[in-house]
Amino acid sequence: EDKVVQSPLSLVVHEGDTVTLNCSYEVTNFRSLLWYKQEKKAPTFLFMLTSSGIEKKSGRLSSILDKKELFSILNITATQTGDSAVYLCAVDPNDMRFGAGTRLTVKP
Amino acid sequence: DVKVTQSSRYLVKRTGEKVFLECVQDMDHENMFWYRQDPGLGLRLIYFSYDVKMKEKGDIPEGYSVSREKKERFSLILESASTNQTSMYLCASSPPGRILSNSPLHFGNGTRLTVT
């Protein structure tokens, strides 16, 4: 059975800290892995990863995929209170499989 | 464990057909959502509902309608399907609370709709 597991489920840090969010998966016919940031009504797309070892970067956020070990990490450096959100990992093996999400809280 | 079930994984319909996408959740969630996902655009909200018979337009409601006659079921209707509605459709639900809260969404597995 296809599954996507995110860890930790929740995380509380202080501004300026660096965090690493994890996503492991077991799916057949893997096509891509996506990261979303969910703050309000619609998750915001962050990254789509299809190839191993190529880091995607956007400002303080970066992500990388390991297709051999079947996981991805999302790094956030110098965290800010605006980074507080639920971060969703999704894997697309013909349909969307979402992890449960990691709730990140950044305290001032 | 919350389960959100979408009735079809794949659908192929012709232009002009009326299309029903069904979604059922088993956790008594009050909030339910329909999104579509397109490459490079992420998830976009079509409609959501916070109670039986209640509905609110999302960001892209044109060409769609919804029905929430029972708490566990939220249906998305394409009155007259068009090729630009070819997409992946995702249903989600969330626990009671403010509709814009940070409660995680529980998603279904999606329906890939192709309109030819």
Side-chain angles (χ1 to χ4, degrees):
Chain A
E1 184 184 330
D2 294 344
K3 62 180 180 181
V4 180
V5 179
Q6 290 186 246
S7 63
L9 291 182
S10 67
L11 189 56
V12 180
V13 300
H14 288 93
E15 276 191 313
D17 288 349
T18 293
V19 298
T20 299
L21 310 183
N22 303 290
C23 176
S24 64
Y25 62 91
E26 291 179 25
V27 299
T28 54
N29 300 317
F30 174 88
R31 299 202 302 188
S32 61
L33 184 144
L34 300 92
W35 283 99
Y36 291 90
K37 178 183 180 182
Q38 181 190 338
E39 289 180 288
K40 297 195 176 178
K41 58 185 177 182
T44 304
F45 172 75
L46 294 175
F47 300 109
M48 184 171 76
L49 304 160
T50 56
S51 301
S52 281
I54 300 173
E55 185 182 61
K56 292 274 183 99
K57 200 168 170 63
S58 175
R60 296 176 293 102
L61 277 67
S62 63
S63 184
I64 197 160
L65 174 67
D66 186 327
K67 289 170 74 173
K68 182 178 178 184
E69 299 297 329
L70 307 183
F71 77 92
S72 174
I73 59 171
L74 175 68
N75 278 323
I76 308 175
T77 59
T79 52
Q80 302 170 357
T81 54
D83 295 326
S84 295
V86 174
Y87 290 84
L88 290 166
C89 169
V91 178
D92 182 8
N94 296 322
D95 55 19
M96 296 302 299
R97 304 285 174 162
F98 282 82
T102 294
R103 185 191 302 276
L104 174 66
T105 302
V106 181
K107 293 188 172 181
Chain B
D1 215 22
V2 178
K3 192 162 185 182
V4 179
T5 303
Q6 293 183 230
S7 55
S8 304
R9 288 278 183 94
Y10 303 96
L11 274 178
V12 179
K13 297 291 181 182
R14 293 182 185 270
T15 301
E17 280 191 72
K18 191 168 185 176
V19 182
F20 291 87
L21 302 184
E22 305 288 347
C23 176
V24 177
Q25 50 94 4
D26 66 359
M27 276 300 290
D28 205 35
H29 285 173
E30 263 122 12
N31 304 326
M32 295 189 76
F33 308 77
W34 273 107
Y35 297 93
R36 62 178 283 175
Q37 183 178 43
D38 302 284
L41 296 176
L43 290 174
R44 292 183 291 165
L45 182 63
I46 303 171
Y47 268 98
F48 62 97
S49 168
Y50 51 88
D51 205 349
V52 176
K53 296 192 185 297
M54 307 300 286
K55 60 183 180 183
E56 293 285 341
K57 292 181 180 180
D59 299 319
I60 51 165
E62 297 78 17
Y64 302 94
S65 62
V66 289
S67 172
R68 184 112 183 254
E69 295 297 317
K70 293 184 178 181
K71 193 174 185 179
E72 66 270 19
R73 186 181 295 272
F74 192 35
S75 303
L76 180 69
I77 303 154
L78 285 66
E79 296 289 342
S80 178
S82 63
T83 55
N84 64 10
Q85 292 178 309
T86 292
S87 186
M88 167 73 85
Y89 289 88
L90 288 156
C91 174
S93 71
S94 72
R98 291 185 300 116
I99 197 74
L100 301 182
S101 74
N102 278 346
S103 299
L105 291 168
H106 300 267
F107 285 89
N109 288 336
T111 297
R112 274 204 193 276
L113 173 67
T114 302
V115 183
T116 60

